[in-house]
Every structure is written in C-alpha cells, then in structure tokens.
Amino acid sequence: MKTPDADASFEVIAGDPMSRVVIHVPHSSTVIPAWVRDHILLTDQELVRELAFMTDARTDEIACAAADNATVRPWIFLNRRSRLVVDPERFPDPADEPMAAPEIGMGAVYTRTAHGGILRDDDAAHHEALLDRYFRPYATALTQLVEERLAALGQVTIIDLHSYPLVALPYEQLHHPDAARPECCIGVDPTHTPPALKDAASAAFATLGEVGVNEPFAGTYVPLAFYIEGDTRVTSVMVELRRDTYLEAENGMPMVTGMLTTLIDTVDAQP
C-alpha cells in the first residue's frame, strides 16, 4: 500500500510479509496544512505552545527504530498530520465520543485547546470538510491494511503507540481528574486485548517503572469495522509512555525503543 498523494494524512511503512504486528502512531506529527491553519484561532506563538502540549513527541522515531531492530519487521501506520487537524482515534459521531463533550471539545475535530480555550469555531461545514479530507481516508486505509494482514496471516495485532506528560493537562483533569500517572500505561479492550497480550506489554515495559493498566488512559485503537463486529482476529494494545521517561532521562530513547522491540518480538513469536 502506498500513500495516495502528497497531502495524504497517513503513511504506511511496509513490514515483513510474515509479521502480524501493525504499529499505529496517531499523534506524533505537528504538520497542519495551510487551509486548516486558517481556521485555527490561535496566534502562531500560541499554536506552537499547543502543539508542544498535545503532540506525542518522537513516538514516530521510537516506532521506526523498534521496527528496524525487530526480528521480524512490523508494519507501521503513521499519521502525518497533527491531531489538531483531526484526531483519527476519536469516534466521528460526537454522540458516540465522550471527548466531544462541549466542555472538553476534543472529538474527531477539536474545538478547544488543552487548557480549555477556543481552538477553532464550531463550524459544521469545516468540520465535515476535515472529516472528508483526512479522517475518513485515514480510517479506510488503516482498515485496508488490517484486512490485508488478515488475508495473509489470519490475525493482526495493533500496537497503538502514544505518550503523555508528567503533569495532567486541564482537559485530562475534566475527563479523569484523579487518575495516576505511572511511567507507562497499558490500554486494553475487553474484547480485543487478550490477557497474554496485556501481560506481554506490561512485561516489556516493566523496567521503565510503574506500569498501569487503563490509567490514566483506557482502551486501545481498533478500526471501527472490526470493533463493531467484535472480530477477535484483530487484537490490540495501547502503549502510553510518560514523556519524561524518554525525553529527559539519559538514554531514554534507546531504552524505550528496546522495550517496544521486545513487545514486537514477543507478539510475532506467539503461535
């Protein structure tokens, strides 16, 4: 599969045909196309600050380095647009998405900032244009990749890679005010995360520090078609790394890269 054009919102980096692992990296980019920037109400300085808060910094580098080191190279699906353009992990219908609540304003198209300010007007026509241009093609392409891996191997495991800051941002406190912030959070789904996958992820990152499960963030990404059907051939686990563990710690990047490589190898070695 190839990225369809220069303004596509995603990139697929091919893995080994025998790998059932897809690493999904949805929030690492800071790229905002000019026509989208025109609708964002922040000054340039404010936007730089917002991107620093909201971007899962260097998670794309971690994914690519881990893939390079894996025994069997996994597939990688990268979001090449900032989550301030669209967030591909939200439900597109606001009625289905808790983060779309007016006081949070972070559905598939964000209307509020991390600190509750106005990011963009609640413009239905612009929102629909963003969904058409970026959200829906992204979702279709990721679904297609999973379908191709299923056709080849009969099973797929998604590793949904994220990061979060040491101190909770105001929007997080609205959603889960008392959540712990361990060095690593493993997100699981009751249907799509079997115990062996949860345990493998927890073990891979155990030496990073405390590993929480579904705290401060819960769940993991599964393409909607497989999620609705409860298709257990598609398994998924979210890995959330606290940013100070790899951005500030000595040798932090190689350390977490090695841990992700361990998880990839463990998954691909399972029968």
Side-chain angles (χ1 to χ4, degrees):
M1 182 189 301
K2 295 182 179 179
T3 300
D5 61 66
D7 194 36
S9 60
F10 60 87
E11 179 182 358
V12 179
I13 302 176
D16 190 289
M18 296 308 297
S19 177
R20 72 188 196 204
V21 175
V22 174
I23 307 176
H24 182 218
V25 188
H27 295 156
S28 66
S29 177
T30 60
V31 174
I32 299 176
W35 75 276
V36 181
R37 173 67 180 97
D38 289 343
H39 288 261
I40 291 177
L41 303 178
L42 306 181
T43 67
D44 288 347
Q45 183 176 2
E46 290 168 340
L47 181 56
V48 168
R49 181 171 176 264
E50 186 66 13
L51 286 168
F53 287 130
M54 295 300 295
T55 303
D56 291 354
R58 303 186 71 179
T59 49
D60 54 342
E61 297 176 42
I62 294 168
C64 290
D68 288 343
N69 295 333
T71 302
V72 182
R73 185 180 183 87
W75 297 70
I76 302 175
F77 196 101
L78 290 174
N79 187 2
R80 288 304 191 190
R81 297 292 174 262
S82 168
R83 67 194 296 186
L84 303 186
V85 178
V86 296
D87 191 331
E89 294 214 320
R90 306 294 197 229
F91 289 109
D93 186 342
D96 298 328
E97 178 52 66
M99 297 299 288
E103 67 274 16
I104 300 176
M106 291 187 175
V109 178
Y110 294 0
T111 56
R112 290 188 176 272
T113 69
H115 290 74
I118 302 300
L119 179 71
R120 55 165 64 87
D121 290 329
D122 193 3
D123 179 336
H126 181 59
H127 289 200
E128 189 63 22
L130 290 172
L131 294 177
D132 277 344
R133 184 66 191 87
Y134 297 112
F135 187 96
R136 294 186 179 104
Y138 185 107
T140 297
L142 185 45
T143 299
Q144 181 183 341
L145 175 60
V146 172
E147 288 173 341
E148 290 173 356
R149 295 288 80 220
L150 283 176
L153 299 175
Q155 52 189 334
V156 175
T157 297
I158 298 169
I159 299 175
D160 190 28
L161 186 61
H162 296 258
S163 72
Y164 61 98
L166 175 61
V167 178
L169 294 166
Y171 87 90
E172 298 176 61
Q173 293 171 339
L174 287 172
H175 190 53
H176 35 68
D178 301 318
R181 301 185 79 78
E183 283 81 358
C184 179
C185 165
I186 301 300
V188 302
D189 177 84
T191 300
H192 294 278
T193 312
L197 179 56
K198 183 199 75 169
D199 293 346
S202 297
F205 290 92
T207 58
L208 189 61
E210 183 182 357
V211 177
V213 176
N214 281 349
E215 188 176 21
F217 301 99
T220 184
Y221 183 82
V222 177
L224 197 56
F226 302 102
Y227 183 80
I228 291 171
E229 294 295 326
D231 190 337
T232 55
R233 296 176 302 162
V234 180
T235 59
S236 182
V237 65
M238 180 172 68
V239 174
E240 289 262 10
L241 302 170
R242 211 176 65 200
R243 286 177 204 149
D244 61 297
T245 63
Y246 67 91
L247 292 179
E248 299 175 18
E250 185 176 0
N251 296 319
M253 284 288 290
M255 178 175 60
V256 297
T257 295
M259 293 173 182
L260 181 57
T261 301
T262 295
L263 177 56
I264 295 165
D265 286 348
T266 300
V267 171
D268 262 329
Q270 292 173 346

